[in-house]
Amino acid sequence: MTVTNYNINGLNFSVIIENKIVLVYMDVNKEIKRRKHIEDEERLIYMDVNKEIKNGILRKLVICNTKISSYICNAVVEVTNDKKNINEELLLNLYNEVVKASEIVI
């Protein structure tokens, strides 16, 4: 297993490669405007998503509840591209795809 960390425009990405599976664990800082299935009493919610996006599959979202609001804090994406093509442009595209897809699933 190899792990490579990227910091792009203040966003942290960890690319985890094991065998033929490529996972990207990313920081997301997006306030949630409308909420389904989110209980205010829980501080952290790990949400299974499994939604296809352009460059992979959004597997999980981590929701953080604060006194002020709820946020998407992190996401896990399984990349369906060839692992040799992981670069900053792809990671930023994945980030934008996750933000867009999260508006649909939450």
Side-chain angles (χ1 to χ4, degrees):
M1 174 171 62
T2 61
V3 178
T4 307
N5 293 308
Y6 296 82
N7 186 309
I8 308 166
N9 300 332
L11 299 170
N12 292 310
F13 298 87
S14 295
V15 178
I16 304 157
I17 302 172
E18 184 168 22
N19 299 326
K20 295 184 180 188
I21 298 173
V22 180
L23 296 175
V24 177
Y25 181 85
M26 67 180 73
D27 289 344
V28 180
N29 186 14
K30 180 175 182 344
E31 185 175 7
I32 300 170
K33 300 292 183 190
R34 59 190 161 104
R35 305 181 320 181
K36 299 178 195 172
H37 315 298
I38 298 176
E39 306 218 358
D40 291 330
E41 296 82 35
E42 296 183 54
R43 293 277 185 206
L44 285 176
I45 298 168
Y46 298 90
M47 190 174 168
D48 290 326
V49 179
N50 296 319
K51 173 147 180 61
E52 279 194 46
I53 57 178
K54 183 179 177 186
N55 291 300
I57 302 168
L58 175 57
R59 294 291 184 189
K60 295 197 180 286
L61 291 174
V62 179
I63 311 296
C64 301
N65 288 318
T66 68
K67 291 180 182 179
I68 299 169
S69 190
S70 295
Y71 297 88
I72 300 171
C73 297
N74 305 101
V76 177
V77 174
E78 183 176 341
V79 178
T80 53
N81 265 355
D82 183 12
K83 65 184 174 186
K84 296 174 188 167
N85 293 329
I86 300 295
N87 56 41
E88 289 187 7
E89 181 181 352
L90 174 66
L91 294 173
L92 287 175
N93 286 340
L94 283 173
Y95 177 84
N96 291 325
E97 292 171 27
V98 166
V99 168
K100 185 176 179 180
S102 69
E103 294 172 359
I104 297 167
V105 298
I106 295 181

